Amino acid sequence: GQSSTTQHPLVPASQLLDCQSDLGRGVFIQKVSIAVRISLMFRQAFARSSPAFVAGVSAVGGAIGGVAWSSHNEPTTNCDSPPKSVFDMLYDISRSVSRIESLLAGPYTPSQSSTSLPGEDKRSPGIDVVLGAQWGDEGKGKLVDILSQDYDVCARVAGGSNAGHTIVVEGKKYKFHLLPSGVLNEKATCVIGNGVVIHVPAFLNELDTLSASGVDYTGRVFISDRAHMVFDFHQEVDGRQEAKLGRHKIGTTKKGIGPAYASKISRNGLRVGDLLDWEYFERRFRSLAESHMRHYPDLKIDIDAQLAFYKSVAPRVKDMTIDTIEYTNKQFSDGKRILVEGANATMLDIDFGTYPFVTSSNPSVGSVLTGLGVSPMKLRGIYGTVKAYCTRVGEGPFPTELDLSEGSPGLHFSQVG
Ligand code: IMP
């Protein structure tokens, strides 16, 4: 093992071992691991390229590791002042590799083309994200609708049916709340990630409306077995909490988002995957419903009717339920292009927004990782949508006001967007 001493607290343990002339097994392992680590870094950086290219680049990485190894092996280490360690060299190399990666397959930047949209960047697979950078209603739906035609997978990662946008295609209106609007691209699959909270009746209604409009979604919509469920009683509780707050209310959409995430965080919520084991689902549902009735004595839940509904729709939901984490990562490794359709917006973020006048999830970029189960290394373009002026739905601080008098820029903005 490695141990540190008080004499050189910042010198890596491997160097201390050298200084102490203990060039035994530990040092050898350390050196081999340096070469392997550099090689792995190269492999990771170029993982999206062809296998032959990856092998070649990994070999170069290994060779650099070898050089690092031999230079580190020289017996001239000065033990009095901390020398540039192999780890510092590794750090420099890793920074260079990151730079090469962003040049080869990194995020789109406007300088690549002043006219093309991110969806037109077809160089490599990756995960692109569209987020709302204000209080929502910035027009994400419009952008996502344009982009989604170029993607293989469209995903939602946070929030629930509190989000919504309308898309008009050839005069036909489509309203989306839970489904990614990429479902209109018949070549794309849709993923509702583990970070989303799903009100199953609303979700099935959305699918039925889509079918009635002639969109065939069969085999293309997947929901995460880990996504939590919003029940009708969550929505009723949402309304009651708002009523209780009176003039301090948040102005929620009353879709049960806060109460459903509260159940999730309290660790007594139910997940979509729980429908696969009916006995378990029934037991947990009863317990959750009863605890809500205890907290809200005027709340009446017809538990048997609710259970009958969930039992009847369970087979349909099960057909769409998968391990979306495995699916999404596999799609990524197969070179597919993935678009995350953000819901809500940064200023409504539970951590970064105007708390407490916020929603109960993270509509900023963090939820792409936790709500879809992908590594940050897989993200490519992250696009924040803004509009020329701000609006917010619901309550909360909003210290600006538009002058809407005749001929004012405010009036112009409010009319043309
Ligand atoms: P909730 O998400 O329904 O709990 O609402 C919390 C806050 O977020 C309220 O101020 C809502 O008006 C706001 N909000 C939620 N979803 C949206 C949205 O899609 N657009 C704009 N505001 C939203």
Side-chain angles (χ1 to χ4, degrees):
Q2 298 178 7
S3 62
S4 197
T5 76
T6 47
Q7 278 158 314
H8 300 287
L10 295 175
V11 180
S14 63
Q15 277 189 3
L16 287 173
L17 284 171
D18 271 358
C19 291
Q20 291 154 7
S21 301
D22 181 6
L23 293 170
R25 202 164 52 100
V27 177
F28 176 74
I29 291 169
Q30 193 88 41
K31 289 169 178 175
V32 171
S33 83
I34 288 161
V36 170
R37 258 192 267 170
I38 296 177
S39 171
L40 283 176
M41 253 176 358
F42 273 76
R43 282 184 74 86
Q44 199 172 15
F46 296 97
R48 296 172 198 158
S49 311
S50 73
F53 186 58
V54 172
V57 171
S58 302
V60 173
I64 296 175
V67 172
W69 170 353
S70 52
S71 66
H72 177 62
N73 215 7
E74 290 183 358
T76 52
T77 312
N78 178 354
C79 297
D80 294 332
S81 58
K84 187 167 170 114
S85 72
V86 171
F87 293 97
D88 291 336
M89 290 170 64
L90 267 176
Y91 179 69
D92 290 347
I93 294 167
S94 103
R95 280 188 6 168
S96 307
V97 170
S98 298
R99 245 176 272 133
I100 295 168
E101 185 190 29
S102 54
L103 283 173
L104 286 178
Y108 164 93
T109 56
S111 61
Q112 284 162 8
S113 159
S114 56
T115 52
S116 67
L117 284 163
E120 291 171 301
D121 171 15
K122 295 194 170 61
R123 288 169 305 146
S124 65
I127 301 178
D128 291 330
V129 185
V130 173
L131 299 172
Q134 295 163 329
W135 278 270
D137 305 321
E138 301 94 344
K140 292 184 290 295
K142 204 170 198 172
L143 178 61
V144 157
D145 181 40
I146 298 166
L147 297 182
S148 60
Q149 303 309 312
D150 282 336
Y151 287 80
D152 307 298
V153 180
C154 297
R156 279 277 313 269
V157 297
S161 54
N162 54 345
H165 53 260
T166 304
I167 286 177
V168 183
V169 182
E170 290 164 6
K172 243 189 207 172
K173 257 192 190 174
Y174 300 89
K175 286 192 177 194
F176 294 99
H177 294 290
L178 269 160
L179 279 171
S181 57
V183 74
L184 294 180
N185 168 7
E186 298 208 342
K187 283 186 242 112
T189 56
C190 295
V191 169
I192 299 184
N194 55 280
V196 177
V197 284
I198 303 181
H199 183 243
V200 169
F203 173 63
L204 296 179
N205 267 343
E206 212 168 308
L207 287 175
D208 292 342
T209 312
L210 206 59
S211 275
S213 321
V215 177
D216 184 10
Y217 66 84
T218 326
R220 294 197 296 118
V221 173
F222 302 114
I223 44 184
S224 167
D225 53 354
R226 291 165 190 256
H228 274 252
M229 294 167 93
V230 181
F231 295 111
D232 290 353
F233 59 78
H234 284 132
Q235 302 194 333
E236 287 189 38
V237 166
D238 198 348
R240 278 174 169 73
Q241 287 177 339
E242 282 286 271
K244 217 166 160 191
L245 285 170
R247 67 189 181 87
H248 299 296
K249 70 177 191 220
I250 291 158
T252 72
T253 58
K254 298 190 183 156
K255 299 288 186 185
I257 306 301
Y261 277 114
S263 294
K264 173 177 178 175
I265 300 302
S266 310
R267 292 160 293 185
N268 58 3
L270 277 128
R271 305 193 286 181
V272 172
D274 295 335
L275 278 170
L276 302 175
D277 178 349
W278 182 253
E279 252 178 49
Y280 179 80
F281 181 87
E282 180 172 356
R283 182 160 36 89
R284 302 259 314 184
F285 183 88
R286 280 189 191 282
S287 147
L288 185 63
E290 280 159 9
S291 94
H292 276 77
M293 285 194 285
R294 275 197 301 280
H295 274 92
Y296 296 89
D298 62 329
L299 174 68
K300 300 278 170 272
I301 305 173
D302 186 341
I303 296 182
D304 290 330
Q306 286 282 302
L307 283 170
F309 168 77
Y310 281 99
K311 196 165 196 177
S312 72
V313 298
R316 189 173 172 200
V317 175
K318 275 187 220 168
D319 278 351
M320 293 179 264
T321 305
I322 62 165
D323 178 345
T324 50
I325 301 168
E326 188 191 8
Y327 175 81
T328 312
N329 282 288
K330 170 88 170 52
Q331 295 295 304
F332 179 88
S333 5
D334 288 351
K336 299 286 167 55
R337 294 164 52 83
I338 300 167
L339 179 68
V340 173
E341 302 184 10
N344 316 125
T346 306
M347 295 304 279
L348 295 174
D349 188 291
I350 185 88
D351 286 286
F352 307 116
T354 50
Y355 191 89
F357 301 95
V358 291
T359 190
S360 300
S361 64
N362 291 111
S364 49
V365 73
S367 65
V368 180
L369 315 179
T370 55
L372 195 58
V374 293
S375 145
M377 303 292 287
K378 293 180 179 169
L379 298 193
R380 188 173 54 172
I382 301 165
Y383 309 100
T385 47
V386 290
K387 60 182 175 186
Y389 61 98
C390 289
T391 58
R392 81 173 296 165
V393 183
E395 308 296 321
F398 202 67
T400 58
E401 201 176 315
L402 275 185
D403 169 13
L404 295 178
S405 57
E406 202 53 48
S408 66
L411 184 66
H412 177 73
F413 280 146
S414 70
Q415 288 170 349
V416 300

